[in-house]
Amino acid sequence: MAALSPEQMLVLAAIERFLDDPELFAGDDPDGGGDVLDAIVQALTTVLPAEHIEQAVTGLLADDDTGLDDDTQLVLEALLGAIERDDGEVALEDLLTRQAPLIEANALEGGQLVLVWDPGQRPPLQELEILELVERYPCRGDAARWTCEDFVVLLEARRQNWRRTVVALEVLQQRPESTPTGGTVLLLVPPDPRAPLEQLELAVTLGA
């Protein structure tokens, strides 16, 4: 077996601990398995940054000489997915918080511009016109990461959220002390070039 880093030893120790705990490990029960994974993630993130856990797990999975059993291999793969998902959620939450003025302005804009979050672009959050959107992210061809139907769904969601914002503005005009909710949409571009594009509807609170 190849020499393990301290981080890799911690990851394997956490997996062994929770798999051997009869109160957490529920065998083939998918709900129980989720509890075990959550417990492992929580235990590891209290002592290691998420990026260190990800590096340790990736190294273990890439090394054919670690002598891992099948159960540990499966948990490592699930753990990697959980860590990557948590990183993405935290990054997105931070984005939405820091870019609240731009998001609100987009909701008030009238539906001609679409918000796009693409970590590969600078800045990662941009407003694109419809034609520029489909040029940068085509719906057809080998490079397509979404379909024409997905594009239509995005435009429809954008239109519906604009109507929602118009109603919210009318309410705000009649009752300035209120905080009605408008909305807009966000196109998410995952870092993995093979992953499909995702769409997210954003609520935007107007008023005080």
Side-chain angles (χ1 to χ4, degrees), residues 113-135:
L113 299 174
V114 176
L115 284 172
V116 180
W117 182 47
D118 186 346
Q121 299 291 326
R122 290 294 178 270
L125 182 64
Q126 299 185 19
E127 288 182 302
L128 299 182
E129 296 182 351
I130 300 300
L131 290 180
E132 184 180 1
L133 180 70
V134 292
E135 288 176 359

Side-chain angles (χ1 to χ4, degrees), residues 6 11 27 80 118 136 153 168 205:
V11 168
L80 181 60
D118 186 346
R136 186 178 297 184
V153 169
T205 300

Side-chain angles (χ1 to χ4, degrees), residues 145-162:
R145 298 172 60 180
W146 60 339
T147 66
C148 294
E149 289 78 11
D150 294 330
F151 176 64
V152 172
V153 169
L154 177 72
L155 294 184
E156 178 62 21
R158 184 71 173 98
R159 184 174 65 87
Q160 291 178 353
N161 275 277
W162 168 239

Side-chain angles (χ1 to χ4, degrees), residues 29-206:
D29 183 353
D31 293 333
D35 292 338
V36 171
L37 184 60
D38 290 342
I40 294 172
V41 171
Q42 183 175 358
L44 288 173
T45 52
T46 59
V47 295
L48 290 175
E51 59 269 21
H52 290 183
I53 301 173
E54 183 177 350
Q55 291 172 2
V57 173
T58 302
L60 288 167
L61 290 172
D63 191 347
D64 295 331
D65 193 34
T66 52
L68 301 175
D69 58 53
D70 291 342
D71 286 343
T72 301
Q73 186 95 6
L74 289 173
V75 175
L76 283 170
E77 292 173 357
L79 178 59
L80 181 60
I83 291 296
E84 290 176 341
R85 183 175 63 252
D86 288 346
D87 281 350
E89 290 172 356
V90 171
L92 181 57
E93 289 177 2
D94 181 60
L95 164 80
L96 298 181
T97 300
R98 290 186 293 106
Q99 299 292 343
L102 176 58
I103 294 171
E104 180 176 344
N106 180 262
L108 298 171
E109 175 269 330
Q112 301 305 311
L113 299 174
V114 176
L115 284 172
V116 180
W117 182 47
D118 186 346
Q121 299 291 326
R122 290 294 178 270
L125 182 64
Q126 299 185 19
E127 288 182 302
L128 299 182
E129 296 182 351
I130 300 300
L131 290 180
E132 184 180 1
L133 180 70
V134 292
E135 288 176 359
R136 186 178 297 184
Y137 308 102
C139 303
R140 297 174 179 172
D142 295 338
R145 298 172 60 180
W146 60 339
T147 66
C148 294
E149 289 78 11
D150 294 330
F151 176 64
V152 172
V153 169
L154 177 72
L155 294 184
E156 178 62 21
R158 184 71 173 98
R159 184 174 65 87
Q160 291 178 353
N161 275 277
W162 168 239
R163 289 181 176 178
R164 177 183 177 184
T165 301
V166 169
V167 172
L169 289 171
E170 292 175 351
V171 171
L172 184 62
Q173 184 175 12
Q174 297 172 6
R175 300 174 53 195
E177 76 284 0
S178 65
T179 54
T181 302
T184 188
V185 295
L186 178 68
L187 182 66
L188 300 174
V189 183
D192 184 351
R194 299 166 298 178
L197 304 185
E198 304 172 17
Q199 301 178 26
L200 181 67
E201 295 194 32
L202 305 177
V204 178
T205 300
L206 306 177

